[in-house]
Amino acid sequence: MANRPQAGYEVAPWELRWGWLDLDALRRTESTFALSNGHIGFRGSFEEGEPRGLPGTYLNGFYERRPLPYAEAGYGDPVDGQSLVNVTDGKIIRLLVEDEPVDMRYGSAPHHERVLDFRSGTLRRNTEWISPTGRHVRITSERLVSFTQRAIAAIHYEVEPLDGQAQLVVQSELLANEPIERESDDPRVAAVLEGALVSDFSMGEGSRAVLGHHTRRSGLRMAVAMDHEVDAPAGVSTENWTEGDLARLTIAAEVPQGRKLALTKYLAYGWSSQRSPQALRAQVEAALAGVRQSGWQGLLDEQRAYLDEFWDAADVEIDGDAELQQAVRFALFHVLQAGARGESRAIPAKGLTGPGYDGHAFWDSETFVLPVLTYTVPDAAREALRWRHSTLDKARTRAAQLGQAGAAFAWRTINGDECSGYWPAGTAAFHINADVADATARYLAATDDKDFEAECGLELLVDAARLWTSLGHHDAHGRFRIDGVTGPDEYTAIVDNNTYTNLMAQKNLREAASRCEQSPDLAREFGVDEEETAYWRDAADRMVVPFDETVGVHPQSESFTQHAPWDFASTPPEHYPMLLHYPYFELYRKQVIKQADLVLAMWLRGDAFTPEQKARNVAYYEALTVRDSSLSAGVQAVLNAEVGHLELAYDYFAEAALADLYDIHHNVAQGLHIASLAGAWIAAVAGFGGMRDHDGKLTFAPRLPPELSSIDIRVCFHDSRICVTIQRDEATYELRRGNDVHTSHHGQPITLTQDKPITLPIPPPPQNPAPRQPAGRAPAHRRPSPVPGQELRPIGLVPEQ
Ligand code: BGC
């Protein structure tokens, strides 16, 4: 075998290939090789069930309630937590070769390869295994979670004896209540989640079986059905066995050398909080009947067609760094998987790739994932917003509980109820409400979707706007302040006038006012009158935007720039992430930043800053930001690109895109960092493409980092598709589909038509002194090897020597 690349994956433009049998890496590769359509999630575990890292099969929104223990509870603290349940595992296909179970811990594997293919949307495996007694077989499998048939997953599995005839026994299973490790070490939580599923029914007949279960506390029901097509030499015997938590189809065959035992396993999943076990059973059986009509090849064809369309709309092509090209497509593929078919469900921070963060969704979805989906798969963005809207009643109840008007959306949740047990880095992060409004406004501007505006969009804007009117107040000078809130940076909490929050609230108030003024009848349905919109406008106009005249920068929040500086020189590398090594009170009262906050404001509200302010702010905040959150690098790439630090922006781009492949945060085993992966697109499109969408207008200001020869980005806007090719000295805009688009290139208005592409020169970048990062926290300086995939420099939080 060739030398193993540093991250372990072989570099290829359209796939993630792992050619090693490394059982220690199982947990992390189960995450990177996860398949999902946003509704069903399968971690990338081996078919034979063991060895395994952290097995996981998830249904979006299917959770168990669990205790949320406090040492000292306070008023308004949520009492219930929610945890994503590891549901019935349908991936399992065990294999015995002449009585010996195939288990990669034993015997040897002269060849073992797994490939996640971004165009076919499948995970392939090709293993040659020699049993401890010397029997030699080849196992190939291909599995998918269907983008086109939302309830369906399928596995095509083949075994071939390589050293003469062999008796093969295959056991295809549905297995509920697999014992797994939990993130929480609280025994009360573990007790609730162990054996979370209670059997409702089990049925097996012929090649089919169905299992139904419910959760003990959250009252949710699920069902999963399997069916099989078997292709084997004559003399096959099959046996179907089911009991509460297990359904097993056993297939035994004598298979001569040169022949194969082939099996296609179809799986249909469904869950509901309302439907009866009988109705759920009927639902999954119907889905199975549908997929049996399509067949395996039909499923493959549909999957490919869906992805061809996706890549046509969304691809980012990079010339000059093969590994980064792979990483960006990996990132886009997983962002798609997280959101494609969620359909009125949340997009969790880990997608459906692992149990991290208990499967909760945060602001990650609106601020990081939805910008990507809005400009690539707008329907998926709409559905995620529809989910947020479905939680509006809970958000209103929460706001009322907190003595506030409007809605207070949950900081972390599965079903819309607040699950954050730590106020300062939880509910106090009220900016999530402005983030929801921002994502709504962006979606409406990018699609002009009037139906969504009437059904959900306007109401989201209105209820979020109302929150600010009660959370903020006019001070003695008539200025509108928002006090006692936490901004995106969780190392600074409960502050007055967090600049990000205020600017995003300002935008929310203005958007709500102007959309209500445009649709007065609709606005009246929500009880909005002219007096209310006038108040919103006034609050927005008088919003406090702190500025420190002495230092010449925007403080992240009032008085932030007066806090004591953190002593980075004396902070050893092993003390990161800092939240695990320092008390919060110390982090809170010093100048140290976990993740982009003011810098994020300069992207999303870039219209509120001058170019000079941006350059000074970037320099100031670069020196304080430690990136203990994976949400930071992509955003830092955007602003560094804008102020002319293109090499640094490229390093951050690489960090965002490669974070999970290199496991730089050391927790990819618990699931992928979907917002960081979205950050890779954000770095490419908003960073090097310079794309902005202030006031609903799409503009570009492209610039290439010195290391690359070109970047092609694609975006969807109002049913049109645009491609921008960024080269060293010029950029070319092409309208690939749809109506003319009015945009601009570095401030110069242009109209894109289908007649011919427009090529324009790129002005030289602004010259600003290179910023510095806290000691030891600079991103790895990325220098790709001239030979793709070889001698790559380590990526991670390593300073340049
Ligand atoms: C970040 C939050 C983020 C959460 C989930 C935390 O570490 O500070 O901003 O929402 O992770 O990704």
Side-chain angles (χ1 to χ4, degrees):
M1 283 184 198
N3 285 343
R4 180 168 166 166
Q6 200 209 334
Y9 307 96
E10 289 165 40
V11 174
W14 285 104
E15 59 193 29
L16 190 70
R17 185 182 286 270
W18 180 271
W20 330 90
L21 182 63
D22 178 352
L23 300 180
D24 293 336
L26 261 186
R27 282 169 158 248
R28 71 181 169 100
T29 54
E30 283 169 352
S31 296
T32 53
F33 285 130
L35 291 175
S36 175
N37 58 9
H39 174 54
I40 303 169
F42 276 7
R43 278 174 62 81
S45 40
F46 293 148
E47 280 83 12
E48 52 270 20
E50 294 181 21
R52 60 191 193 173
L54 190 59
T57 306
Y58 310 108
L59 292 176
N60 195 350
F62 194 85
Y63 68 93
E64 178 58 316
R65 278 172 49 210
R66 62 168 182 81
L68 196 54
Y70 296 93
E72 293 176 52
Y75 172 80
D77 285 343
V79 287
D80 271 328
Q82 297 168 3
S83 288
L84 189 66
V85 172
N86 177 32
V87 300
T88 310
D89 190 351
K91 300 185 291 296
I92 297 178
I93 301 176
R94 302 184 202 275
L95 171 65
L96 282 88
V97 179
E98 294 287 345
D99 249 9
E100 286 182 280
V102 171
D103 184 323
M104 307 292 281
R105 287 169 293 203
Y106 305 105
S108 63
H111 180 80
H112 176 68
E113 181 182 66
R114 313 191 76 200
V115 178
L116 180 66
D117 185 323
F118 311 142
R119 285 184 294 196
S120 66
T122 60
L123 176 64
R124 289 192 294 270
R125 170 203 190 166
N126 190 334
T127 301
E128 264 182 52
W129 185 71
I130 301 175
S131 74
T133 59
R135 294 309 311 262
H136 195 171
V137 288
R138 179 183 295 121
I139 304 162
T140 53
S141 75
E142 185 163 23
R143 68 166 87 142
L144 60 78
V145 173
S146 175
F147 285 117
T148 51
Q149 303 190 36
R150 183 174 180 256
I152 296 297
I155 307 171
H156 184 74
Y157 184 85
E158 292 184 355
V159 198
E160 182 184 354
L162 297 177
D163 61 350
Q165 175 155 322
Q167 189 201 49
L168 303 177
V169 178
V170 170
Q171 296 173 309
S172 172
E173 294 186 357
L174 301 176
L175 176 64
N177 289 319
E178 289 166 294
I180 51 162
E181 276 171 47
R182 278 276 156 192
E183 224 186 3
S184 169
D185 45 16
D186 188 309
R188 288 165 291 186
V189 174
V192 167
L193 296 174
E194 206 154 289
L197 297 172
V198 182
S199 171
D200 282 333
F201 63 85
S202 58
M203 176 304 276
E205 190 183 58
S207 58
R208 291 190 311 131
V210 196
L211 295 186
H213 284 84
H214 67 268
T215 55
R216 278 173 223 278
R217 295 160 56 106
S218 59
L220 305 181
R221 293 187 190 282
M222 64 156 295
V224 51
M226 65 174 177
D227 201 353
H228 301 83
E229 278 163 9
V230 180
D231 182 6
V236 174
S237 68
T238 60
E239 189 188 313
N240 196 326
W241 168 262
T242 55
E243 59 188 30
D245 283 351
L246 175 70
R248 176 182 292 151
L249 179 73
T250 304
I251 302 156
E254 286 290 340
V255 181
Q257 189 170 356
R259 302 287 304 274
K260 288 178 187 167
L261 173 62
L263 174 78
T264 305
K265 178 177 192 177
Y266 299 102
L267 292 155
Y269 281 89
W271 77 266
S272 172
S273 60
Q274 312 273 337
R275 310 194 75 204
S276 65
Q278 292 76 6
L280 272 170
R281 177 174 162 184
Q283 179 180 327
V284 293
E285 289 187 326
L288 263 191
V291 69
R292 288 296 306 267
Q293 267 206 328
S294 319
W296 172 245
Q297 191 56 47
L299 270 182
L300 286 177
D301 293 345
E302 290 173 14
Q303 190 87 335
R304 165 71 70 160
Y306 181 96
L307 283 163
D308 283 350
E309 184 65 13
F310 170 70
W311 291 115
D312 184 65
D315 193 21
V316 172
E317 265 182 86
I318 292 176
D319 192 1
D321 187 335
E323 190 187 36
L324 195 54
Q325 172 69 84
Q326 177 187 43
V328 169
R329 289 197 176 124
F330 167 81
L332 270 169
F333 182 73
H334 274 293
V335 170
L336 175 73
Q337 292 207 114
R341 299 297 307 272
E343 285 163 34
S344 305
R345 300 277 165 223
I347 300 179
K350 306 283 182 191
L352 296 175
T353 65
Y357 286 125
D358 272 325
H360 293 166
F362 297 71
W363 71 306
D364 305 32
S365 165
E366 276 83 2
T367 301
F368 295 83
V369 178
L370 290 202
V372 186
L373 294 181
T374 297
Y375 293 114
T376 56
V377 200
D379 289 356
R382 182 192 61 228
E383 291 308 303
L385 288 170
R386 219 183 265 288
W387 167 75
R388 212 36 114 171
H389 182 263
S390 75
T391 71
L392 197 48
D393 283 343
K394 291 175 195 276
R396 286 183 182 135
T397 305
R398 178 75 172 148
Q401 182 188 34
L402 301 173
Q404 303 300 319
F409 288 104
W411 174 247
R412 54 184 297 172
T413 188
I414 294 178
N415 80 345
D417 282 325
E418 182 59 84
C419 293
S420 71
Y422 179 60
W423 176 269
T427 305
F430 284 104
H431 67 81
I432 187 170
N433 300 285
D435 304 328
V436 170
D438 180 49
T440 304
R442 173 176 300 108
Y443 172 76
L444 291 176
T447 60
D448 212 14
D449 183 343
K450 296 285 179 219
D451 291 344
F452 179 78
E453 180 175 5
E455 286 163 28
C456 308
L458 191 65
E459 202 175 13
L460 284 170
L461 292 173
V462 165
D463 271 77
R466 285 180 172 153
L467 174 76
W468 306 116
T469 62
S470 74
L471 208 55
H473 73 282
H474 287 92
D475 67 11
H477 307 286
R479 295 172 313 181
F480 195 80
R481 305 174 55 86
I482 302 175
D483 294 336
V485 302
T486 300
D489 164 31
E490 295 185 348
Y491 287 174
T492 314
I494 320 279
V495 292
D496 294 344
N497 292 311
N498 168 256
T499 307
Y500 172 86
T501 305
N502 286 19
L503 285 172
M504 297 299 283
Q506 181 184 57
K507 179 175 176 189
N508 178 183
L509 290 161
R510 287 184 176 146
E511 280 283 347
S514 61
R515 293 256 170 205
C516 283
E517 284 153 7
Q518 283 159 25
S519 310
D521 293 344
L522 189 57
R524 260 191 298 278
E525 283 179 30
F526 303 128
V528 181
D529 56 20
E530 282 172 19
E531 199 183 327
E532 189 168 18
T533 53
Y535 185 85
W536 292 344
R537 287 205 182 276
D538 177 74
D541 291 346
R542 293 165 187 266
M543 186 70 74
V544 171
V545 181
F547 190 76
D548 183 334
E549 298 288 350
T550 320
V551 191
V553 300
H554 288 80
Q556 186 174 280
S557 51
E558 248 169 31
S559 72
F560 176 83
T561 44
Q562 292 159 37
H563 290 186
W566 187 270
D567 182 2
F568 291 111
S570 312
T571 307
E574 64 275 14
H575 280 191
Y576 294 93
M578 296 171 94
L579 62 117
L580 300 182
H581 301 274
Y582 300 95
Y584 265 122
F585 92 94
E586 190 68 356
L587 297 168
Y588 288 169
R589 66 202 197 97
K590 298 209 165 140
Q591 291 193 56
V592 50
I593 294 176
K594 181 182 182 189
Q595 64 201 94
D597 183 315
L598 195 275
V599 171
L600 178 61
M602 292 195 292
W603 168 38
L604 296 175
R605 286 301 319 275
D607 53 335
F609 299 84
T610 65
E612 296 71 31
Q613 288 172 343
K614 284 179 184 163
R616 284 187 68 89
N617 287 339
V618 164
Y620 190 86
Y621 288 98
E622 274 289 310
L624 302 175
T625 307
V626 296
R627 301 197 309 297
D628 278 353
S629 161
S630 67
L631 273 54
S632 207
V635 178
Q636 286 177 259
V638 174
L639 262 294
N640 275 295
E642 182 170 350
V643 303
H645 308 311
L646 291 161
E647 287 190 42
L648 182 57
Y650 174 62
D651 295 341
Y652 282 132
F653 176 26
E655 184 175 304
L658 289 161
D660 283 337
L661 295 178
Y662 280 81
D663 196 11
I664 67 171
H665 295 280
H666 310 293
N667 57 7
V668 80
Q670 294 288 327
L672 302 179
H673 299 80
I674 300 295
S676 176
L677 298 173
W681 181 93
I682 291 168
V685 174
F688 298 113
M691 189 181 99
R692 296 292 182 276
D693 52 12
H694 306 311
D695 292 327
K697 294 188 199 75
L698 202 64
T699 59
F700 295 90
R703 277 200 180 95
L704 201 63
E707 294 81 359
L708 301 181
S709 2
S710 76
I711 305 180
D712 275 28
I713 56 172
R714 296 176 187 196
V715 288
C716 305
F717 189 69
H718 288 198
D719 290 331
S720 297
R721 288 195 182 171
I722 304 167
C723 175
V724 186
T725 302
I726 312 160
Q727 284 166 317
R728 179 79 40 237
D729 301 318
E730 59 185 34
T732 301
Y733 296 81
E734 190 189 345
L735 183 66
R736 303 176 56 243
R737 231 191 245 188
N739 297 324
D740 295 0
V741 174
H742 302 288
T743 178
S744 74
H745 167 83
H746 285 282
Q748 174 188 343
I750 49 173
T751 299
L752 310 184
T753 63
Q754 284 197 38
D755 301 346
K756 72 172 174 38
I758 302 178
T759 300
L760 293 165
I762 293 179
Q767 296 297 313
N768 286 301
R772 293 191 67 79
Q773 291 73 36
R777 304 305 286 171
H781 207 38
R782 183 168 177 79
R783 285 287 166 277
S785 148
V787 185
Q790 284 181 22
E791 299 162 39
L792 287 160
R793 286 280 198 88
I795 182 89
L797 300 172
V798 186
E800 195 185 2
Q801 296 302 310

